[in-house]
């Protein structure tokens, strides 16, 4: 079994995320890189990004597009939200999906 060094991949991911960060910061938001595993980048959105109505667009058209385009090993991303934020989102929807 061949062991793959993922550190160069993680470094590329971090560079891309750091390019995006100033745009998020300018709107009161931020992101946190959590992990990279099996082609998936795990991030947590922070600050104003958590409740932003444009979050889906930021993720799909911004973050995902840049990562997939610039880091071929990345197949997709997953956003992890803090549990209390997830609870608040469900409460605001009245428990309906």
């Amino acid at each position: 079994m061949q062991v793959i060094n993922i550190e160069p991949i993680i470094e590329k991911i971090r560079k891309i995320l750091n390019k995006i960060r100033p745009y998020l910061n300018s709107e009161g938001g931020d992101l946190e890189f959590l992990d990279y595993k099996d082609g998936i980048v795990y991030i947590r959105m922070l600050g104003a990004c958590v409740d932003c109505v444009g979050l889906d667009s930021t993720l799909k058209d911004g973050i995902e597009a840049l990562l997939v385009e610039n880091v071929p090993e990345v197949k997709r991303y997953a956003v992890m939200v803090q549990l209390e934020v997830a609870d608040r989102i469900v409460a605001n929807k009245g428990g309906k999906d």
Side-chain angles (χ1 to χ4, degrees), residues 12-24 31 66 70:
K12 286 192 264 184
I13 292 167
R14 287 184 187 276
K15 284 182 180 180
I16 295 298
L17 295 177
N18 285 334
K19 288 181 181 180
I20 297 166
R21 182 167 275 115
Y23 300 104
L24 300 175
L31 59 80
L66 285 170
N70 292 287

Side-chain angles (χ1 to χ4, degrees), residues 1 5 7-8 10 13 22-23 26 31-33 46 54 59 61-62 64 71 74 76 91-92 97:
M1 183 175 178
N5 180 7
E7 288 305 314
I10 290 174
I13 292 167
Y23 300 104
S26 71
L31 59 80
E32 176 185 10
F33 171 77
L46 304 168
L59 292 171
D61 301 332
E64 181 184 38
V71 186
V74 172
R76 61 179 215 214
N92 288 337
D97 290 334

Side-chain angles (χ1 to χ4, degrees), residues 36-69:
Y36 168 77
K37 189 181 288 184
D38 299 324
I40 303 171
V41 177
Y42 295 89
I43 60 174
R44 177 180 295 138
M45 302 308 290
L46 304 168
C49 289
V50 174
D51 294 324
C52 179
V53 296
L55 180 59
D56 289 342
S57 178
T58 298
L59 292 171
K60 187 77 175 162
D61 301 332
I63 296 171
E64 181 184 38
L66 285 170
L67 285 172
V68 171
E69 182 178 318

